[in-house]
Amino acid sequence: PHRQNSDQAGESTRSSPSVEHSISPAPDIIPSPPIPGDPVPTVDALFDLINQFAKENGFGIVRRNAYSYNGRKIRYSFMCDRFGKPGPSKGAGIRQRKSRKCGCQWKVIAEALEEGRWLLREHDNREHSRHNHGPSLAPSAHLSHRRLNTAVKATIEATSQRVGIRARDVRAVVQEQHPETFLTRKDIYNARALITREKLDGYTPTAALIKLFDEG
């Protein structure tokens, strides 16, 4: 009997760690924005409002599924930017990029009212009411929180005119002057390229020079 009790105690001792390791904490639940909330004048204003809520709660959104009636947009879906099943990885080697999608089903409906204002409502299907993942560690993980606005674009353009300044230095200036912005160094590269293309009116530098000579 003594040996049996010892064996049982040993078995209990050996089994308890596996039980502990099998229990993993559930991811933090991401809340949904207030629905219906207050009506706003445009769908862009409603998107910015919900995107700000998303930034504060660790996710990003995209606008999809436009629906028109009599030539007028009356409905959109605002969905998690991780909505849908992941596709195959792109690129090769160290440049291989994985899909951000993780099978999340969260989305809400932006709907136009008769008086032209926009309001948020829940999707009829309850499977779209929750995220299947926890909040992100930083807003920079989401493209919707790294969009260029006029003020940030002007700062990038003015700072980039300094001789020899690097993208990371431009990013530091942007973060100092616009602390609400979460651009990455790649975003700075892309923004500088965009500004250059706009200055060249879509031409390559060589083609723009030839065009300048032709006009002269």
Side-chain angles (χ1 to χ4, degrees), residues 130-144:
R130 292 188 64 179
H131 299 263
N132 71 340
H133 55 89
S136 300
L137 297 178
S140 58
H142 305 278
L143 188 60
S144 63

Side-chain angles (χ1 to χ4, degrees), residues 85-101:
K85 296 181 179 179
S89 300
K90 298 180 181 179
I94 61 174
R95 293 183 178 274
Q96 192 174 61
R97 293 181 291 116
K98 295 182 179 179
S99 172
R100 282 193 46 78
K101 297 181 178 181

